[in-house]
Amino acid sequence: MHRTSVRDRNEIDTQTLEINFGPQHPSTHGVFRMHVVLDGETIVSLKPVFGYLHRNHEQIAENITYLASMPYTDRLDYLNAMTNNFGYALAVEKLASIEVPERAQYLRVIMAELTRLVNHMALIGFLLNDLGAFFTPVLYAFREREKILDLFEEISGSRMMCNYFRFGGVKRDVSDGQLAEIQKLVEAFPRFLDEFEALLAKNEILCMRCQNVGVLSPALAVNASLTGPVLRASGVSYDLRKVDRYSLYDRFDFRIPLGAKGDTYDRYYVRVLEMHESVKILRQALRGLPAGDTMNKKMLPFLKAPRNFKPPVGDAYGRIESPKGELGYYVVSDGSPQPWRYHVRAPSLINVTVLEDLCVGHKIADAIIILGSIDIVLGEVDR
Amino acid sequence: MIFGSGIFKGLAVTLKNLVNSYFRKPEDGGLFTVEYPERRIAVKEAYRNFPFLVYDGTQAEPRCTACDICAKECPPKCITVVREFDKDAKPLKKPAVFDIDVSVCMNCGLCEEVCPFDAIYMDHDYEVASPDRQQKLLFHKEDLLKPAEYLRKIRPVDAAAIEKRRREAEEKKKAAAQAAAAKKNTP
């Protein structure tokens, strides 16, 4: 029991209640603990506690070859293995100045955008689950997600732990039949989004629960160095696909959806709009996909012998716009087959730091949907 | 707009989905759930689960030469290889012990990629659950060895490409040996 007393409206002395929300709670999206002080049902203070899923990712990467870290990056944000691979491949390619053939670049963009669809669908589904729309939206979303995961399995060998990217290209080529499947999926996707919109967007319960809840001001978002849809929902136009123009993103025509208020509803709706933009990018990428190699010829010997791959002494920071925000990998090489230092800038970890500012003053039930709308994956927070 | 109309619109969507699930085909919005133990989805060729070892003739002569490369490159270090020696303590080109701890293996497929002898490949067998974590999930050489036909059966396209490459390499080796022999015979 928290000993500080609070005077309520009727001037009766009441006590605040201290509870541990999690770590084994289905609404915390993993093993995450919120240390909450409540006055009645209103949150007085909230401290996120994490580290339960710490797996020593960075230290392990410093003791194995560069390529051997690739499957480990899959397990950071386990919903988006492809984009995790993407960031790491980009960092090491920068470090060793490796060029990537155009077809591989296109395939990378296609995989990254499909991953964005997977992530946003899972997020919206589970956010609605937290709201109490029990399993209807999440199952509609998972029906579509399943089609994409089946494609990932056909192309990379695994549904979620793809391990598809290699330094200087991708692991295996995509056949024409698989491309036709992707095309079919992309063409059918807007219909699903429209259905989702009819199901949810105007729903009065959703609007009442989400609008004006957990408002994040643009100033706080920038000061806390948030990135991704959480930042853009507050109206700050910052997307690494436009800012950095890494890989081939300068070739595609797409827009950055922004929110007006920065409340939970905006964070939900920005992601719906982002899915529309992803479909646009996918259409252009599928149209422009050239024939050719999927691996840089110079890097082929290192696939057979990762131990011989020794990037020159130096450091590099590769960053991408992952579905959750800026995912960066900092790699320092001392000329040996193992990185001397390896660091991950995880968007989930940095985005969750504003949780207290968003939650204080709201009810305990709102804390759950605010946490859901921030979109964290504990595999990435704790690493 | 009347308050509550959004909810009814949403309910219309769920009703449509309910009706479609009975009267449409799976790819068109119908029921597409497969009830697992009775029915199964065909495994995709690229799918990878745990590694297995390939032998050509009998189990006594596996392709594996105990070179230890897979064990060194394995990210979670789940492979243990010990070379076999004959009576005179001469090292043989085959493993005496080849253990894979599948409770540690993370199905990344790097062992398959780095193997220079086409000896280790990723399996499609996904029903390996066991109540005993200590013994049953440590796969020994005998459990891992599977014939080359098995690889051909589970991954026909990949196996064809691998066999073509192996044949070409063998022919090249034979031609080189013949050339060397011819050189030796004509001093």
Side-chain angles (χ1 to χ4, degrees), chain A residues 60 63-65 67-69 71-72 74-75 136 140 142-144 146-147 150-151 153-158 161-163 166 171-172 184 191 195-196 198-200 202-205 208 303-308, chain B residues 1-7 9-11 13-18 24 26-30 32 43-48 69 72-77 106-110 112-116 118 155 158 165:
Chain A
I60 287 173
N63 289 301
I64 51 178
T65 57
L67 183 62
S69 292
Y72 278 115
D74 290 338
R75 279 124 179 115
T136 303
Y140 288 0
F142 268 43
R143 189 180 63 200
E144 302 302 310
E146 199 66 18
K147 294 174 188 164
D150 278 352
L151 272 168
E153 183 178 359
E154 224 169 290
I155 293 163
S156 72
S158 194
M161 304 295 129
C162 299
N163 188 17
R166 292 290 177 268
K171 193 169 104 179
R172 65 163 66 207
K184 212 171 90 189
R191 210 178 79 186
E195 188 187 79
F196 225 47
L199 179 69
L200 300 170
K202 293 264 162 50
N203 188 311
E204 281 80 3
I205 303 171
M208 284 159 87
L303 280 187
K304 274 276 171 200
R307 220 151 254 268
N308 296 343
Chain B
M1 198 115 113
I2 314 155
F3 185 80
S5 61
I7 293 175
K9 238 179 171 177
L11 288 175
V13 174
T14 55
L15 184 70
K16 203 182 111 208
N17 270 279
L18 174 75
R24 289 257 183 102
E27 60 274 10
D28 205 29
F32 78 130
V43 178
K44 303 202 170 53
E45 176 155 359
Y47 171 70
R48 50 170 202 266
I69 287 178
K72 277 186 191 131
E73 299 294 353
C74 175
K77 305 273 182 279
M106 62 175 179
N107 325 98
C108 66
L110 284 184
E112 167 185 320
E113 282 172 44
V114 298
C115 181
D118 303 305
R155 287 164 63 173
D158 288 349
R165 199 185 64 229

Side-chain angles (χ1 to χ4, degrees), chain B residues 2 6 13 25 30 42-43 65 76 79 82-83 87 91 95 97 105 161 166:
Chain B
I2 314 155
V13 174
K25 288 214 171 93
V43 178
T65 60
I79 308 178
V82 177
R83 188 181 286 281
K87 287 193 296 284
V97 176
C105 175
R166 278 176 70 81

Side-chain angles (χ1 to χ4, degrees), chain A residues 65-238:
Chain A
T65 57
Y66 282 86
L67 183 62
S69 292
M70 191 63 90
Y72 278 115
T73 62
D74 290 338
R75 279 124 179 115
L76 279 175
D77 176 356
Y78 38 77
L79 291 172
N80 314 321
M82 290 282 194
T83 45
N84 294 344
N85 285 179
F86 200 169
Y88 182 50
L90 221 60
V92 175
E93 276 154 14
K94 216 169 172 183
L95 182 68
S97 5
I98 303 161
E99 277 184 22
V100 183
E102 199 164 285
R103 186 177 172 85
Q105 299 253 30
Y106 267 94
L107 288 178
R108 285 179 172 194
V109 169
I110 291 171
M111 295 308 155
E113 292 309 317
L114 284 174
T115 305
R116 201 177 308 278
L117 297 181
V118 168
N119 178 71
H120 287 353
M121 275 189 291
L123 167 94
I124 293 172
F126 283 120
L127 176 65
L128 269 294
N129 239 15
D130 293 344
L131 272 170
F134 215 60
F135 277 107
T136 303
V138 81
L139 283 180
Y140 288 0
F142 268 43
R143 189 180 63 200
E144 302 302 310
R145 172 178 177 267
E146 199 66 18
K147 294 174 188 164
I148 300 178
L149 291 190
D150 278 352
L151 272 168
F152 282 175
E153 183 178 359
E154 224 169 290
I155 293 163
S156 72
S158 194
R159 285 153 50 82
M160 288 174 81
M161 304 295 129
C162 299
N163 188 17
Y164 183 58
F165 288 49
R166 292 290 177 268
F167 311 131
V170 292
K171 193 169 104 179
R172 65 163 66 207
D173 199 2
V174 175
S175 72
D176 290 341
Q178 286 158 349
L179 279 177
E181 294 247 324
I182 302 178
Q183 185 81 46
K184 212 171 90 189
L185 192 140
V186 169
E187 290 312 320
F189 203 79
R191 210 178 79 186
F192 160 73
L193 284 177
D194 291 345
E195 188 187 79
F196 225 47
E197 181 113 11
L199 179 69
L200 300 170
K202 293 264 162 50
N203 188 311
E204 281 80 3
I205 303 171
L206 177 76
C207 293
M208 284 159 87
R209 283 293 307 277
C210 289
Q211 281 171 350
N212 300 318
V213 169
V215 176
L216 175 65
S217 70
L220 175 63
V222 172
N223 286 336
S225 65
L226 304 193
T227 45
V230 181
L231 173 68
R232 291 194 286 275
S234 296
V236 183
S237 176
Y238 180 78

